[in-house]
């Protein structure tokens, strides 16, 4: 059975994705019983975005701590109320307790006010008591504040919070970081394609900020199907002044001009299609050798492609000229073009190491620098393609991991430069994605690799594209310098 992918022609290679034979066998009926009895992985088909279906598969329960000391003027109840109000505004059925419900679509835990580690106990147990009622494809989302001095994920440069002379700040820091460990473990306990993710809201930014609302919308929806055990860090309250204008329809990128490199096939092709579906004018870029598939895609998307090797010295200038002459504007670029040249380090040669760095990191760096030299790039949204290999490392991929960790560093470094121009820079780090490339991995290795995450299956190129479209949208205006993993909570490495 294939998932419903409205308005998007998704390429599924034989033996991959929803055609993954094992997934088909165990996702329901007797096969599922056998797998569960034998303790084998029992993945289910993920709930992906479908405009014909509700965003969430049942009522949403908004929880906040009911224990712990509260001082005058503290805003715990108000912040949970603000989240509930936003969800009601989205037309969702919202409850403040799950006791009387038979089925729950999602649980949102407002943990912004935790002061000591013990403040986590009551909301954690309350979540535990409703977990059995969580619908297939359900969602758990924590909303919390950052701990000072702890890098979250790979690139978060978190703002200081509170007075370091005050020991209560130390206790609060422990509680805040406790949310991270709690959520990541809860994510590993989810069943039925449900996921658990968090939103970390910088001190001084309201939980009603547009990107908190936008992150909630994204994480609740089927657009985040393969995002699991991750945190979106909202650093500013940038975005539409009126929450109702946080894009939520089917075309949040309407009228935007977005360049996608490496668009002739694989993940890039899917990104280009989805951005087009969401209303963007897409500029697909790929090497001259990929001219045929590139122009076929461009015809389908009713756009003009740009035949270009991203490593060319003047690549950024050529992108600017193309966008200026056709649209007079440029709103975003997705640095997706990438190559692998795997070898154990002892066998690595200069060409293999240098070429991977040149395509995957140096080209995005040079192109972005050239774009930023032009006023047309004011407000530019940059998204880089990192990889879980760049986060956790991978045997035989010292060159690739260096290049992809480089992308993580690049977006973190670009964030303040772009902030001054009203733009953002983020990266997406895919894990095991079902593409032509991974379909070539020998069967036994492929079967093992795709089960090594909490959702026990490979993601689809569409899952990566959805995360990128979110980061390009106004919903994510307050998120910058971050790397979002789209890996089903890959269990290997960091
Ligand atoms: P792919 O090999 O199928 O496609 C890459 C595209 O980039 C190709 O069309 C290729 O022609 C183009 N390209 C390569 N060098 C170029 C250059 N110098 N100039 C212009 N275009 C160039 O790869 P994919 O699997 O779709 O991966 C896309 C991106 O996602 C890459 O950056 C990759 O590193 C990253 N990624 C993929 C996975 C995965 O599981 N497939 C996992 C993590 C990260």
């Amino acid at each position: 059975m294939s998932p419903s992918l409205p308005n998007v022609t998704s390429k599924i290679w034989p033996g991959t994705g929803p055609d993954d034979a094992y997934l088909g066998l165990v996702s329901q009926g007797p096969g599922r019983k056998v797998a569960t009895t034998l303790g084998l992985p029992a993945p289910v088909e993920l709930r992906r975005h479908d405009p014909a279906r509700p965003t969430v598969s049942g009522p949403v329960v908004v929880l906040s701590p009911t224990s712990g000391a509260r001082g005058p003027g503290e805003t715990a109840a108000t912040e949970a109320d603000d989240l509930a109000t936003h969800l009601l505004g989205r037309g969702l059925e919202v409850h403040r307790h799950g006791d009387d419900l038979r089925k729950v679509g999602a649980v949102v835990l407002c943990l912004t006010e935790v002061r000591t580690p013990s403040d986590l106990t009551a909301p954690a147990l309350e979540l535990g008591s409703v977990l059995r009622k969580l619908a297939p494809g359900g969602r758990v989302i924590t909303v919390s504040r950052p701990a000072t001095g702890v890098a979250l994920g790979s690139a978060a440069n978190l703002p200081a919070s509170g007075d370091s002379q005050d020991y209560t700040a130390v206790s609060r820091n422990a509680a805040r970081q406790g949310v991270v460990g709690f959520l990541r473990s809860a994510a590993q306990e989810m069943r039925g394609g449900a996921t658990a993710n968090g939103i970390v809201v910088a001190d001084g930014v309201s939980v009603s900020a547009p990107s908190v609302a936008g992150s909630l919308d994204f994480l609740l929806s089927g657009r985040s199907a393969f995002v699991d055990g991750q945190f979106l860090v909202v650093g500013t309250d940038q975005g539409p002044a009126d929450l109702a204008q946080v894009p939520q329809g089917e075309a949040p990128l309407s009228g935007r001009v977005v360049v996608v490199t490496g668009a002739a096939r694989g993940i890039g092709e899917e990104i280009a299609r989805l951005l087009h579906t969401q209303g963007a004018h897409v500029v697909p870029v790929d090497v001259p050798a990929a001219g045929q598939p590139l122009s076929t895609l461009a015809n389908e998307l009713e756009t003009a492609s740009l035949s270009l090797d991203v490593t060319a010295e003047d690549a950024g200038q050529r992108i600017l000229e193309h966008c200026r002459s056709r649209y007079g504007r440029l709103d975003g670029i997705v640095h997706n073009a990438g190559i692998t040249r795997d070898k154990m380090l002892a066998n690595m040669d200069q060409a293999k190491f240098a070429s991977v760095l040149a395509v995957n990191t140096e080209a995005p760096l040079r192109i972005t620098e050239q774009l930023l030299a032009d006023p047309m790039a004011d407000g530019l949204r940059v998204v880089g393609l990192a990889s879980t290999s760049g986060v956790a490392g991978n045997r035989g991929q010292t060159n690739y991991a260096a290049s992809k960790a480089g992308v993580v560093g690049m977006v973190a470094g670009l964030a303040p430069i772009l902030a001054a121009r009203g733009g953002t820079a983020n990266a997406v780090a895919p894990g095991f994605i079902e593409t032509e490339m991974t379909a070539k991995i020998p069967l036994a290795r492929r079967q093992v690799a795709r089960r090594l995450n909490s959702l026990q299956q490979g993601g689809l190129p569409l899952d990566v594209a959805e995360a990128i479209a979110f980061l390009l949208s106004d919903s994510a205006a307050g998120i910058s310098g971050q790397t979002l993993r789209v890996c089903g909570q890959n269990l290997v490495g960091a």
Side-chain angles (χ1 to χ4, degrees):
M1 196 170 37
S2 39
S4 115
L5 303 172
N7 307 323
V8 178
T9 326
S10 187
K11 238 188 214 168
I12 307 296
W13 286 274
T16 67
D19 294 330
D20 168 359
Y22 182 80
L23 173 61
L25 192 70
V26 303
S27 60
Q28 53 198 331
R32 178 154 199 86
K33 254 192 190 149
V34 172
T36 315
T37 312
L38 296 178
L40 294 171
V44 300
E45 251 183 59
L46 302 181
R47 175 174 71 86
R48 292 191 166 85
H49 174 68
D50 180 348
R53 289 204 197 144
T55 319
V56 190
S57 14
V60 183
V61 181
V62 177
L63 301 175
S64 56
T66 50
S67 62
R70 302 252 166 80
E74 290 185 348
T75 54
T78 315
E79 292 193 327
D81 287 347
D82 286 348
L83 295 173
T85 303
H86 166 69
L87 297 170
L88 282 168
R90 289 296 196 230
L92 299 170
E93 182 185 330
V94 181
H95 296 255
R96 296 304 298 273
H97 291 283
D99 307 348
D100 302 331
L101 297 171
R102 292 180 56 199
K103 185 178 136 185
V104 170
V107 183
V108 176
L109 277 105
C110 185
L111 299 172
T112 47
E113 80 290 18
V114 291
R115 299 274 152 154
T116 68
S118 62
D119 285 349
L120 295 172
T121 306
L125 294 180
E126 210 172 343
L127 170 63
S129 72
V130 292
L131 271 187
R132 282 183 212 287
K133 304 176 188 177
L134 196 63
R139 297 286 189 262
V140 170
I141 300 169
T142 57
V143 181
S144 61
R145 299 280 179 190
T148 306
V150 185
L152 186 64
S154 43
N157 200 1
L158 300 172
S161 57
D163 177 5
S164 57
Q165 304 298 307
D166 177 0
Y167 203 76
T168 59
V170 179
S171 172
R172 185 177 60 180
N173 223 39
R176 288 176 169 194
Q177 190 61 18
V179 176
V180 176
F182 167 71
L183 187 277
R184 286 185 173 151
S185 296
Q188 293 186 26
E189 295 184 15
M190 296 289 126
R191 294 285 177 270
T195 62
N197 292 289
I199 302 170
V200 175
V201 189
D203 289 299
V205 175
S206 157
V207 297
S208 299
S211 288
V212 178
S215 299
L216 262 180
D217 294 345
F218 171 69
L219 292 175
L220 284 171
S221 77
R223 295 191 186 280
S224 62
F226 201 58
V227 178
D228 198 10
Q230 305 306 311
F231 290 87
L232 283 167
V233 181
V234 178
T236 70
D237 54 10
Q238 295 295 305
D242 183 353
L243 266 194
Q245 281 165 10
V246 173
Q248 56 171 324
E250 293 302 307
L253 299 174
S254 192
R256 305 284 166 88
V257 175
V258 185
V259 174
V260 181
T261 68
R265 68 178 206 194
I267 295 173
E269 183 184 352
E270 200 69 20
I271 296 166
R273 283 215 178 85
L274 183 69
L275 301 186
H276 170 77
T277 304
Q278 295 198 359
H281 301 294
V282 179
V283 178
V285 173
D286 213 300
V287 285
Q292 176 67 52
L294 187 66
S295 58
T296 305
L297 177 73
N299 285 343
E300 182 194 320
L301 306 186
E302 295 169 338
T303 187
S305 60
L306 179 59
S307 219
L308 175 71
D309 184 328
V310 293
T311 61
E313 285 296 323
D314 63 346
Q317 265 112 30
R318 289 189 49 200
I319 288 170
L320 281 167
E321 279 157 25
H322 182 98
C323 295
R324 181 174 288 110
S325 64
R326 280 180 171 73
Y327 305 105
R329 62 188 286 175
L330 170 62
D331 301 285
I333 182 161
V334 183
H335 293 294
N336 165 79
I339 58 168
T340 51
R341 296 287 182 270
D342 296 0
K343 273 277 176 225
M344 299 294 277
L345 186 56
N347 303 324
M348 186 71 74
D349 61 32
Q350 208 270 343
K352 284 198 172 64
F353 206 96
S355 61
V356 169
L357 286 177
V359 176
N360 297 359
T361 331
E362 286 171 337
L365 276 168
R366 187 184 313 110
I367 289 172
T368 308
E369 188 180 15
Q370 289 174 5
L371 299 185
L372 288 176
D374 193 296
M376 204 165 69
D378 283 350
L380 188 74
R381 296 270 161 86
V382 175
V383 181
L385 264 286
S387 163
T388 48
S389 295
V391 178
N394 199 17
R395 192 180 150 88
Q397 289 199 318
T398 48
N399 50 355
Y400 184 73
S403 76
K404 293 301 184 179
V407 171
V408 173
M410 177 185 81
V411 298
L414 274 174
I417 296 172
L418 279 154
R421 309 265 302 265
T424 62
N426 291 288
V428 164
F432 185 98
I433 303 298
E434 305 282 4
T435 64
E436 223 165 333
M437 185 181 84
T438 49
K440 285 180 189 146
I441 299 174
L443 182 68
R445 263 186 62 203
R446 176 155 33 103
Q447 281 294 5
V448 172
R450 58 158 66 111
R451 307 290 161 229
L452 289 178
N453 63 64
S454 294
L455 297 170
Q456 301 179 323
Q457 59 194 285
L460 301 182
L462 177 64
D463 299 326
V464 181
E466 292 279 17
I468 288 169
F470 165 68
L471 291 170
L472 288 168
S473 76
D474 283 348
S475 290
I479 300 174
S480 196
Q482 307 298 311
T483 294
L484 175 61
R485 286 166 61 164
V486 182
C487 65
Q489 197 178 30
N490 201 322
L491 303 176
V492 178

